[in-house]
Amino acid sequence: MTDPAMTLASREKKAQSISTDRLWHTQAIDTTVETIEQALRAGVTTVQLRWKQVDSGYFLDLAKAASEVTQGRAQLIINDRVDVFLAARESGCAVDGVHIGQTDIHPTLVRALIGDDAQLGWSVSLPRDVDEALELTEVIDSAGVGALRETSTKTDAPPSLGLEGIARIAQRLPLPVTAIGGIGVDDVAPLASRVHNVAVVSAIAAAQDPFRAAAQLVEAFKTGQKTEEQA
């Protein structure tokens, strides 16, 4: 998942602090797309565009720019912003779906808006979330389960589940599960034997060498899968 402000700051590029400054947002978008390109080269197969507290126009600009490098190479998912997904698709961008959280528009309404051909992911963490997800298997296509541990990228994250907590939820859900929340490279192999995918933000977005960071994550996931196959 992306975090343009984090990525721009980590590259030590000069940027204005005024949130409405177009130069700052243009720099953030360009740096994020550069990072996405490096991650794709390393083998990342899904990119989720996440940009908190930003105007929809700038988010749409990011979606347009990102789709130019992900098209035909990886899935492109919009985090939270159904309006941006719809606008991007109307603009001709190759966007594959949206991922929403517990405080966003309910999945049934989102499905009605985005249609049956788009991917719809939903974050679950508490027992009641899992129960509802089980009732919505005809509506949602995947579940984001976490957080693994406390994360600096989400101030309202639910209590940490740990590896076994994520595994228990994954076993209950008849859907592809993506582990989320404070995941580092050392966590990936153990998770790979319990979930279908792993999502990270700072592990790539804040890395000085995003290609190397992404390659290490991809290799760790493959190692975890091989271990599971051999078990």
Side-chain angles (χ1 to χ4, degrees):
M1 292 189 283
T2 62
D3 187 323
M6 178 188 292
T7 298
L8 186 59
S10 71
R11 303 298 185 275
E12 298 180 348
K13 293 189 176 183
K14 184 178 180 181
Q16 302 295 322
S17 61
I18 303 174
S19 63
T20 57
D21 182 20
R22 178 166 288 277
L23 174 60
W24 187 93
H25 288 88
T26 299
Q27 290 177 323
I29 290 169
D30 290 346
T31 308
T32 297
V33 173
E34 291 171 6
T35 300
I36 291 172
E37 173 63 34
Q38 295 299 312
L40 296 181
R41 286 184 52 233
V44 168
T45 57
T46 299
V47 174
Q48 187 175 141
L49 296 183
R50 180 180 183 272
W51 200 353
K52 297 294 187 179
Q53 299 177 334
V54 70
D55 292 339
S56 55
Y58 290 126
F59 202 152
L60 179 58
D61 288 342
L62 174 60
K64 290 178 178 178
S67 69
E68 292 181 5
V69 298
T70 57
Q71 187 170 7
R73 302 169 69 187
Q75 279 200 327
L76 184 61
I77 305 296
I78 305 298
N79 182 260
D80 291 346
R81 298 292 295 274
V82 179
D83 60 329
V84 172
F85 169 81
L86 294 172
R89 188 169 62 177
E90 187 65 23
S91 300
C93 296
V95 288
D96 297 285
V98 295
H99 185 92
I100 55 175
Q102 288 292 318
T103 60
D104 294 315
I105 300 172
H106 194 271
T108 54
L109 295 177
V110 174
R111 174 58 72 193
L113 291 168
I114 66 176
D116 293 332
D117 60 334
Q119 293 289 311
L120 177 55
W122 196 35
S123 296
V124 302
S125 58
L126 302 175
R128 64 172 181 269
D129 305 335
V130 180
D131 292 340
E132 187 168 10
L134 289 170
E135 297 176 358
L136 294 171
T137 54
E138 298 300 317
V139 176
I140 60 176
D141 298 297
S142 61
V145 177
L148 174 67
R149 62 171 60 87
E150 291 185 5
T151 170
S152 61
T153 64
K154 190 174 177 60
T155 57
D156 60 345
S160 302
L161 293 171
L163 182 64
E164 294 307 319
I166 288 178
R168 283 194 296 271
I169 292 177
Q171 289 178 342
R172 290 188 61 195
L173 292 174
L175 298 164
V177 167
T178 298
I180 58 177
I183 294 171
V185 65
D186 292 338
D187 303 311
V188 174
L191 284 167
S193 63
R194 294 167 168 84
V195 299
H196 300 81
N197 304 287
V198 172
V200 301
V201 181
S202 57
I204 295 177
Q208 290 298 308
D209 186 342
F211 172 80
R212 182 171 180 271
Q216 290 176 334
L217 290 161
V218 170
E219 183 59 31
F221 192 82
K222 291 179 178 178
T223 298
Q225 287 182 315
K226 289 178 182 177
T227 301
E228 174 65 13
E229 292 172 357
Q230 294 170 357

